[in-house]
């Protein structure tokens, strides 16, 4: 029996996914979470074979950070990203963060269950659409500073900067000191060759970060 923890901040979506997984007699959803911090805690408690994780969840509790922390602290729990974002940048980003699978939310029930089985058995699963997009992305190349240079925390901070939050507001949302936020902000701007908040907004819009 494959044990799984499911994390998505939309209860209707989460309920639907659970129903699809429960239809497989070899998969058991042992717990559900509405955000990344809760998902990580449930992994620590249940030690599931698989964590199915949405990317887009509340700031400071996102799927990106939960993915990275789970892969690092609980390597026996394989992370499957379950998302609506069909951009190769996010696939590469999550794979770098330790994800073993990347499934789009428009996948068929069979594809979803196959992903769970594949990663639980030590393999990996990438949605077929993403494999094709990744090949095109690699062939096309880009002169744009890569989002993959950012850590998960830096990515979240960039999102919040682009949404207009001050350093003080970000520090409260992410439980960091203002000085730490300022240091992250400086690193982000340097890595992505940004100079102003307007540059950060433009970059976030082009990379669809405000949709996360």
């Amino acid at each position: 029996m494959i044990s799984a923890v499911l994390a998505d901040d939309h209860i209707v979506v989460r309920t639907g996914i659970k129903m699809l997984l429960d239809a497989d007699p070899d998969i058991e959803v042992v717990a559900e979470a509405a955000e990344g911090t809760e998902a990580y805690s449930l992994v620590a408690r249940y030690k599931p074979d698989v964590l199915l994780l949405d990317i887009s969840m509340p700031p400071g509790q996102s799927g990106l950070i939960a993915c990275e922390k789970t892969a690092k602290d609980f390597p026996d729990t394989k992370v499957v990203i379950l998302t609506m974002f069909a951009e190769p940048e996010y696939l590469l980003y999550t794979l770098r963060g330790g994800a073993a699978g990347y499934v789009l939310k428009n996948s068929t029930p069979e594809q979803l269950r196959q992903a769970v089985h594949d990663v639980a058995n030590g393999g990996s699963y990438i949605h077929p659409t993403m494999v094709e997009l990744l090949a095109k992305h690699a062939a096309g190349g880009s002169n744009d500073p890569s989002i993959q240079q950012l850590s998960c925390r830096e990515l979240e901070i960039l999102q919040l900067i682009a949404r207009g939050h001050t350093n003080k507001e970000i520090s409260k949302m992410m439980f960091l000191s203002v000085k730490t936020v300022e240091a992250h902000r400086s690193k982000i701007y340097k890595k992505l060759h940004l100079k102003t908040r307007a540059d950060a907004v433009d970059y976030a819009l082009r990379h669809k970060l405000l949709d996360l």
Side-chain angles (χ1 to χ4, degrees):
M1 179 68 72
I2 299 171
S3 59
V5 166
L6 173 60
D8 192 295
D9 60 339
H10 294 96
I11 188 168
V12 172
V13 174
R14 201 166 67 239
T15 300
I17 294 170
K18 184 178 185 300
M19 289 176 63
L20 293 177
L21 295 175
D22 284 344
D24 187 320
D26 296 320
I27 301 174
E28 179 186 8
V29 177
V30 296
E32 300 175 46
E35 41 86 357
T37 302
E38 183 183 11
Y40 178 83
S41 297
L42 290 173
V43 169
R45 178 179 177 183
Y46 289 98
K47 306 295 193 301
D49 299 306
V50 177
L51 168 62
L52 287 114
L53 191 62
D54 188 15
I55 293 179
S56 179
M57 289 191 283
Q61 306 167 346
S62 80
L64 290 172
I65 289 181
C67 172
E68 188 175 66
K69 290 180 64 179
T70 297
K72 178 182 177 182
D73 298 341
F74 303 102
D76 290 336
T77 294
K78 306 305 178 184
V79 180
V80 174
I81 297 297
L82 186 59
T83 180
M84 62 182 177
F85 296 107
E87 281 76 35
E89 292 88 352
Y90 296 132
L91 168 60
L92 292 170
Y93 201 90
T94 55
L95 292 179
R96 191 192 74 175
Y102 196 97
V103 180
L104 298 180
K105 286 187 175 178
N106 63 359
S107 298
T108 65
E110 291 75 18
Q111 287 173 325
L112 174 60
R113 291 191 284 260
Q114 186 63 52
V116 173
H117 279 276
D118 285 355
V119 302
N121 290 322
S124 60
Y125 183 94
I126 298 175
H127 191 279
T129 299
M130 297 306 301
V131 174
E132 183 178 348
L133 289 175
L134 188 59
K136 292 180 180 178
H137 177 76
S142 174
N143 293 321
D144 199 20
S146 175
I147 191 176
Q148 296 173 65
Q149 298 179 68
L150 302 182
S151 68
C152 291
R153 192 166 297 281
E154 287 170 345
L155 181 62
E156 283 209 53
I157 290 174
L158 174 59
Q159 290 174 263
L160 294 173
I161 291 171
R163 288 185 174 120
H165 293 287
T166 65
N167 290 345
K168 186 175 181 180
E169 289 171 339
I170 295 171
S171 72
K172 290 181 179 179
M173 296 171 74
M174 300 195 69
F175 307 103
L176 301 171
S177 70
V178 173
K179 287 187 176 180
T180 298
V181 173
E182 291 172 348
H184 279 305
R185 184 178 189 140
S186 178
K187 290 179 182 178
I188 292 165
Y189 279 30
K190 183 176 181 180
K191 287 179 178 180
L192 300 182
H193 307 158
L194 308 176
K195 293 183 179 180
T196 66
R197 182 187 294 273
D199 293 336
V201 172
D202 178 67
Y203 187 93
L205 288 171
R206 284 188 287 109
H207 289 268
K208 300 183 180 180
L209 299 183
L210 299 185
D211 296 331
L212 288 176

